[in-house]
Amino acid sequence: MKTIKVLVLFVLSTVTAIAQDGGTIRGTIKDSKTKEDIIGATILVQGINKGAATDINGFFSFGKLPVGSYSLKISFVGYESKIYEGVKVAANQVTELNLSLAEESATLAEVKVVAQKLTNTEQSVISEIKAAQLVVSGISAAQITKTLDRTAAEVVKRVPGVTIFGERFINIRGLNERYNTVQLNNAFAPSMETDVRSFSFDIIPAGQIDRILVFKSPSAEIPGEFAGGVVKIFTKSIPENNFLTLDISSAYREGTTGSAFFATKNANMAWTGFDQGYFDLPKSFPINRSALINTGASGIDAIGASLKNNWVPVESIAMPDMRASLAGGLKFDLGSVRIGNVTAVNYSNTRSIFKMERNDWGYSNIQTTGEPDEIFNYVDNQYSNAIRLGVSHNWSARFAGGSVIEFKNLFNQLANTQYIQRSGFDNGSNWDIRSFDQVFRGIYTGQLTGRHEFQEGSLKTDWMVGYNSAYRNQPDYKRFRYNVDGSSSSLFIPNGAAQTFLLGRTYINMDESSYTAAFNLDKRIKVGDEKELDFKAGLFYEDKVRDFGARNIGYVKSTPSFQTTLPIDQLFSPQNFNSRTGIKIDEQTNPNDSYNATNNLFAAYVSANYALGKKFNAIVGVRAEQNSQKLNSADLVGKAINYDNTRLDVLPSLNLTYNFTEKSLLRLAYGKTLNRPEFRELAPFSFYDFVNNRTVSGNPTLKNAEIQNFDFRYEFYPTPTELVSIAAFYKDFTNPIEVVFASGANPVLNFSNAKSAYSTGIEAEFRKNLNANQPNTILGRTSLVFNGTYIFSRVKLDATVAKDQSDNRPLQGQSPYIMNAGLNYNDAKKGLQLNFNYNVIGKRIFAVGNNFGSPYPDWFEMPRNVIDFSFSKQLTKAIMLKGGVSDILNQGNTILQDGNQDQVFDRNQDQIIQNYAPGRVASLGLIISPFN
């Protein structure tokens, strides 16, 4: 309550401060041809020597101007300067302007209306990148519409140097998800994963995104915990005009749509995506293992019979994928305050059927026989259903003095159900194995933010308070297997103690919440007659809490003579739960199957930006982060494990910019950053991953990684919508954290610190119109987008570790090259748009091998060439037809092992760990905007 009162007083005092008397001039500046707002334009009020620049929102404001008439001089790189005369200022009145600049001479008009910033266009994102003092890449909503990307995971991989790992986790410059930080509207994004340190990008629908920016060089004002980059996702805000849009589409998935589809029996309202408790343990189920044992034999029998007998899948026909979104925008004036709202609701229901090859190999005899030992060989039929529901609800208020207060809310949830039918050979036996899995994930993130100007624009402040909540519920994760002997088969039910990873039900629940607050100050101080020092300072606070718990329920025979040849639903009928002659449940939950953790971060920074002459600019800054990371759990026998990693890190940074001309510049940057272990990586909890047939466990001895970052980038802007850049980088790691196979047990994946590593590379990007001088020709309507990255890295291990682990290798999860390209045709007159997009990544280590006994080589994820085609056609003013085909080549998704270690990776000669083709997807839909 005290915090709320302080916040209310702060907002009220801010509103009071900005509502003072005095004439005001405010407005935006646009490109006269494209009508897109220009970021970084300079505005000078002649005669009184007052100046300002349009901010990241394309907005400028002069407050407390004496009554009178003024002339405004407007200028920007690559545009013709212009003077607007006769701009009137009246006492206690606001003069609102929408001004224009052109590359060529043009007649410009002054219109007294309020214009809103178009942050989602290609030009606006390029302008934002150019105005930044850091090494930044980005993508706009306008570019997103030229693809068939459906989630943020598919969108962000088109940013230079960015790839997606595991279909939802981000890699930047070849560094895996743990080395990258994600923010939603400038607040840390919550995690919905139990096993990895990462935000799940697949949870955000592409339609909710305004723009994505990726900051690749350190700076005092951005978080210090990253090595690859800081990703900032901005959701849509104030609309330029009132609108209402309905977007509906359907898709045919090759190998899935129209085929027989198997899934677990589910609740009647499962199509909504909400977890309705259908898969939860009964409310009467004992609270823990001890309570279960204390119920006695008859109690255990009754409890076993109370669990749902839903071991047989339900068959249906896979319908086409369905997606729909409804978005609306509204703006209006409340006195002198401009109010805006954007609200969007998104829903999708998709299905996929993958036929997957899955193998594992031993290499003890390969040197003598030339052939590996086959450990297991399986074929999976994987049936997956994903239901997404998202709501975005954003409000914004712009005041007469130029201040802005925003309240942004985002809720997204994803329900995944999966049924796997696995058959094949494992350690001398033939098996028919099944699993049922359902995962419910969701996030809510909300921020109240403000931006204000004081002292005639020389002092700017912004603040943010936020709340994040995330959950991940995985109820009733079931596995069972039949041993197949010719035409007969029998269900595997162990004697004695249960083996839950072979026959059992697992219930996992994770809840995470955090409170955040930030305050930033930007003060321009005059130094001499012509120069200014831009001083910045800020504070950031985050308090995060996570609770994690799991229960493992298995089954055993009450007597070895119990026959198991019947179908599983008959074997698990209530009458067979008998502690003397049938079967009974046996809970195998251990003390290390739960943990609670907290992370408390307080950061402060200062930086100074000073122009050394007309071309050279330097930013020097330092950030201090006091972080306390604590985790409480227990080991297998119940001994307490209390992890406490509290430390202060001081992170210096330096960013230099040299402007060759108005259209070209050079950036040099240095900064120190760090990487902390994630809760799950520290927790001793072990989890059986049925899909990959591996167990994942944590390591409470992990240490922080530290990174020294060096960046160089040359940028050239031929026109406001074109960009050419070439960059180089070098990163030096101490104690990098990787995923490795645990000691002596290839089926177990663990987390470990290497001694050191380095990563270096180059990247290039360009966006080019093929004939900008003749925009009405075919080439003039065609643009080319390309970005590519080449990376080289090596890991150094301690001598004791190196003798047992794969050495002289790249960092785990790093791709040696990344390439994205797009060819886009846009005929605005006919309302026709055609787009081809290409993406490929180089092979990367999925998991690090070892040398225990006999060598077990690294797992490598192999390259996939992906080509997508999309189109859109304006049928009427209010209706647009869109469609396309994604993953046209449909190449295999392959994990390979170089068994003979000849460094030649051949899908036909080397050992396949996993392989499947996801299938082409053809989609068609309508966008209906009735108020266009």
Side-chain angles (χ1 to χ4, degrees):
M1 181 61 70
K2 182 178 179 181
T3 302
I4 295 174
K5 289 180 178 179
V6 171
L7 175 61
V8 171
L9 289 174
F10 178 75
V11 174
L12 289 176
S13 63
T14 302
V15 173
T16 301
I18 63 181
Q20 299 174 6
D21 293 342
T24 298
I25 298 175
R26 71 180 187 185
T28 56
I29 300 176
K30 292 189 175 186
D31 183 294
S32 62
K33 181 179 179 181
T34 66
K35 305 303 180 186
E36 296 176 354
D37 291 87
I38 300 173
I39 299 172
T42 301
I43 309 99
L44 178 66
V45 183
Q46 295 184 326
I48 61 172
N49 199 31
K50 280 192 174 183
T54 51
D55 62 13
I56 198 171
N57 298 295
F59 181 79
F60 71 91
S61 178
F62 296 97
K64 298 182 181 180
L65 292 175
V67 174
S69 179
Y70 296 92
S71 296
L72 303 183
K73 182 178 180 181
I74 316 296
S75 60
F76 184 63
V77 174
Y79 286 79
E80 180 184 271
S81 297
K82 191 71 177 180
I83 297 176
Y84 290 86
E85 299 179 341
V87 181
K88 305 291 185 181
V89 173
N92 299 316
Q93 298 295 315
V94 177
T95 302
E96 298 172 336
L97 304 175
N98 185 3
L99 309 179
S100 301
L101 291 178
E103 290 188 83
E104 302 290 341
S105 296
T107 301
L108 302 177
E110 178 183 322
V111 183
K112 291 190 177 181
V113 298
V114 175
Q116 301 299 335
K117 166 64 187 162
L118 292 174
T119 57
N120 59 358
T121 64
E122 293 181 59
Q123 177 175 333
S124 63
V125 169
I126 289 175
S127 298
E128 193 167 347
I129 291 171
K130 185 177 181 182
Q133 299 294 333
L134 313 178
V135 177
V136 187
S137 298
I139 189 169
S140 67
Q143 287 176 270
I144 295 170
T145 61
K146 297 176 182 178
T147 73
L148 290 178
D149 296 341
R150 300 176 179 91
T151 69
E154 296 172 317
V155 170
V156 76
K157 69 183 181 182
R158 303 190 187 280
V159 176
V162 174
T163 59
I164 288 295
F165 192 64
E167 298 185 352
R168 63 182 184 270
F169 305 125
I170 193 169
N171 285 28
I172 301 177
R173 287 179 165 177
L175 297 172
N176 65 25
E177 67 274 0
R178 64 161 306 97
Y179 289 110
N180 305 298
T181 293
V182 182
Q183 291 189 314
L184 278 173
N185 302 314
N186 288 319
F188 282 123
S191 174
M192 295 182 299
E193 300 301 319
T194 57
D195 287 336
V196 294
R197 179 197 182 275
S198 181
F199 173 71
S200 298
F201 277 77
D202 64 335
I203 201 75
I204 304 253
Q208 292 181 358
I209 298 169
D210 180 80
R211 67 197 187 282
I212 296 177
L213 297 176
V214 180
F215 294 81
K216 300 177 182 178
S217 64
S219 181
E221 59 264 32
I222 64 175
E225 188 178 5
F226 78 94
V230 175
V231 182
K232 293 194 176 188
I233 303 174
F234 296 92
T235 55
K236 293 179 177 178
S237 189
I238 298 181
E240 185 182 19
N241 299 297
N242 296 340
F243 72 92
L244 181 67
T245 301
L246 174 65
D247 186 342
I248 54 175
S249 65
S250 185
Y252 174 89
R253 186 179 296 271
E254 182 182 16
T256 298
T257 305
S259 301
F261 189 85
F262 296 89
T264 184
K265 186 177 180 181
N266 211 327
N268 293 331
M269 299 294 288
W271 61 270
T272 65
F274 285 96
D275 180 6
Q276 300 168 63
Y278 179 84
F279 298 100
D280 292 350
L281 286 168
K283 292 183 179 179
S284 60
F285 202 88
I287 192 171
N288 54 39
R289 183 184 182 189
S290 296
L292 175 64
I293 294 173
N294 291 335
T295 61
S298 60
I300 290 175
D301 292 344
I303 292 167
S306 71
L307 296 178
K308 282 188 173 67
N309 187 358
N310 53 355
W311 296 86
V312 177
V314 176
E315 183 177 357
S316 63
I317 298 298
M319 301 300 292
D321 293 351
M322 191 271 282
R323 292 178 173 84
S325 69
L326 180 65
L330 178 67
K331 67 174 183 177
F332 58 91
D333 290 331
L334 193 62
S336 62
V337 181
R338 170 58 52 87
I339 305 295
N341 171 260
V342 173
T343 299
V345 180
N346 304 272
Y347 175 84
S348 68
N349 191 333
T350 65
R351 292 174 175 84
S352 63
I353 302 174
F354 296 152
K355 187 171 185 178
M356 308 179 72
E357 178 183 357
R358 195 174 299 283
N359 309 293
D360 197 15
W361 312 86
Y363 298 94
S364 59
N365 299 315
I366 194 169
Q367 298 300 326
T368 55
T369 66
E371 297 293 332
D373 306 313
E374 189 177 62
I375 297 176
F376 65 73
N377 176 267
Y378 287 122
V379 173
D380 289 3
N381 290 311
Q382 186 180 100
Y383 303 85
S384 300
N385 180 210
I387 299 173
R388 289 182 173 86
L389 177 65
V391 179
S392 176
H393 187 66
N394 301 332
W395 286 93
S396 182
R398 175 172 287 166
F399 295 86
S403 292
V404 177
I405 293 179
E406 292 186 316
F407 183 40
K408 289 196 170 187
N409 299 271
L410 178 68
F411 170 77
N412 274 291
Q413 71 169 24
L414 173 60
N416 281 103
T417 59
Q418 187 178 81
Y419 169 67
I420 296 178
Q421 180 183 7
R422 174 175 294 170
S423 58
F425 171 88
D426 188 351
N427 284 316
S429 299
N430 292 312
W431 297 94
D432 181 5
I433 307 173
R434 314 292 173 91
S435 79
F436 297 86
D437 191 16
Q438 38 282 325
V439 179
F440 302 92
R441 295 181 284 149
I443 63 168
Y444 166 76
T445 176
Q447 302 94 31
L448 180 64
T449 68
R451 301 191 303 272
H452 315 286
E453 292 186 9
F454 307 95
Q455 300 177 7
E456 300 178 351
S458 65
L459 174 63
K460 298 179 181 180
T461 63
D462 65 81
W463 53 270
M464 179 271 293
V465 291
Y467 172 74
N468 291 332
S469 177
Y471 69 88
R472 186 183 189 277
N473 188 22
Q474 188 176 11
D476 203 12
Y477 177 23
K478 299 187 293 293
R479 290 87 60 196
F480 67 92
R481 58 180 58 201
Y482 277 93
N483 186 277
V484 179
D485 184 9
S487 60
S488 64
S489 61
S490 59
L491 181 69
F492 173 80
I493 305 178
N495 296 302
Q499 301 178 42
T500 57
F501 61 96
L502 300 178
L503 173 64
R505 317 172 86 130
T506 297
Y507 299 81
I508 298 175
N509 186 72
M510 184 198 78
D511 290 298
E512 183 175 291
S513 62
S514 64
Y515 294 89
T516 60
F519 178 80
N520 300 289
L521 177 148
D522 185 348
K523 172 63 177 175
R524 296 200 310 272
I525 304 170
K526 277 196 172 184
V527 180
D529 295 332
E530 298 181 355
K531 292 187 177 182
E532 286 184 335
L533 175 69
D534 190 2
F535 174 80
K536 293 183 180 180
L539 302 172
F540 178 85
Y541 177 78
E542 183 192 48
D543 187 23
K544 179 164 59 176
V545 177
R546 175 185 285 189
D547 288 306
F548 175 90
R551 297 191 71 174
N552 292 298
I553 312 297
Y555 296 86
V556 295
K557 295 179 183 178
S558 302
T559 173
S561 61
F562 182 76
Q563 295 299 310
T564 62
T565 56
L566 292 174
I568 190 170
D569 57 334
Q570 296 181 32
L571 290 172
F572 282 4
S573 60
Q575 63 269 23
N576 284 330
F577 283 89
N578 185 306
S579 296
R580 296 183 303 276
T581 60
I583 57 175
K584 61 182 179 179
I585 61 172
D586 178 29
E587 182 166 2
Q588 291 294 311
T589 303
N590 296 309
N592 63 343
D593 288 335
S594 64
Y595 66 86
N596 58 77
T598 62
N599 194 88
N600 186 276
L601 170 64
F602 178 76
Y605 74 88
V606 293
S607 70
N609 182 353
Y610 187 68
L612 305 173
K614 294 183 178 181
K615 293 181 176 290
F616 193 64
N617 194 77
I619 303 177
V620 180
V622 62
R623 183 182 183 92
E625 293 193 352
Q626 174 74 29
N627 192 81
S628 179
Q629 187 180 42
K630 297 180 180 180
L631 182 141
N632 300 307
S633 186
D635 63 14
L636 192 61
V637 297
K639 183 180 178 181
I641 294 177
N642 299 308
Y643 177 89
D644 186 346
N645 182 17
T646 300
R647 55 182 281 178
L648 172 66
D649 291 281
V650 179
L651 309 172
S653 62
L654 173 66
N655 286 270
L656 305 175
T657 304
Y658 184 82
N659 295 279
F660 294 101
T661 67
E662 292 183 342
K663 295 187 177 183
S664 64
L665 57 89
L666 176 68
R667 303 187 194 274
L668 299 172
Y670 160 78
K672 179 183 177 182
T673 58
L674 53 92
N675 179 238
R676 303 180 181 99
E678 173 56 14
F679 293 144
R680 174 60 186 93
E681 297 167 346
L682 297 167
F685 169 68
S686 294
F687 172 72
Y688 174 62
D689 177 3
F690 179 89
V691 175
N692 292 303
N693 203 28
R694 289 291 182 271
T695 299
V696 182
S697 64
N699 177 7
T701 67
L702 289 176
K703 298 176 286 188
N704 286 8
E706 296 182 352
I707 308 100
Q708 307 288 338
N709 304 270
F710 301 87
D711 286 272
F712 155 96
R713 186 155 92 165
Y714 171 78
E715 300 172 11
F716 176 56
Y717 299 86
T719 71
T721 59
E722 295 180 326
L723 164 66
V724 178
S725 72
I726 299 174
F729 59 89
Y730 177 85
K731 298 177 182 294
D732 186 78
F733 295 78
T734 302
N735 301 322
I737 301 172
E738 299 185 298
V739 178
V740 302
F741 285 103
S743 173
N746 291 335
V748 179
L749 292 173
N750 196 253
F751 306 93
S752 176
N753 290 106
K755 181 179 180 180
S756 63
Y758 70 88
S759 174
T760 185
I762 57 174
E763 60 186 13
E765 175 186 13
F766 70 81
R767 307 177 192 184
K768 177 66 178 173
N769 184 286
L770 299 186
N771 192 351
N773 295 325
Q774 295 180 303
N776 294 322
T777 64
I778 291 178
L779 291 180
R781 299 187 185 106
T782 305
S783 61
L784 181 64
V785 177
F786 170 86
N787 63 73
T789 306
Y790 171 79
I791 308 156
F792 181 84
S793 74
R794 280 296 178 268
V795 173
K796 184 177 182 180
L797 305 173
D798 286 315
T800 54
V801 177
K803 66 183 180 64
D804 292 325
Q805 192 186 107
S806 172
D807 200 2
N808 189 32
R809 56 170 173 79
L811 276 166
Q812 181 262 325
Q814 179 227 277
S815 299
Y817 62 86
I818 306 161
M819 186 182 300
N820 294 292
L823 185 65
N824 309 309
Y825 175 83
N826 187 6
D827 188 336
K829 197 172 192 180
K830 295 181 179 179
L832 176 64
Q833 192 173 93
L834 305 172
N835 309 286
F836 286 92
N837 292 282
Y838 171 77
N839 168 259
V840 67
I841 62 171
K843 70 178 190 295
R844 54 189 174 184
I845 296 178
F846 185 92
V848 177
N850 60 47
N851 296 311
F852 300 114
S854 59
Y856 189 79
D858 304 329
W859 285 11
F860 276 87
E861 182 181 1
M862 300 303 291
R864 289 188 75 240
N865 294 279
V866 179
I867 295 177
D868 301 331
F869 166 73
S870 65
F871 74 91
S872 64
K873 178 69 174 73
Q874 199 75 41
L875 302 180
T876 70
K877 186 177 180 180
I879 301 176
M880 175 184 288
L881 177 71
K882 66 171 187 176
V885 181
S886 61
D887 203 359
I888 294 172
L889 301 180
N890 192 29
Q891 293 186 343
N893 189 320
T894 305
I895 296 176
L896 207 62
Q897 205 170 25
D898 183 23
N900 57 15
Q901 301 186 58
D902 63 357
Q903 303 305 310
V904 177
F905 290 81
D906 188 332
R907 287 177 170 85
N908 297 317
Q909 299 295 326
D910 288 312
Q911 287 64 50
I912 293 176
I913 299 297
Q914 172 189 287
N915 183 62
Y916 71 95
R920 302 170 184 88
V921 179
S923 64
L924 192 65
L926 291 173
I927 300 176
I928 303 171
S929 305
F931 304 121
N932 269 1

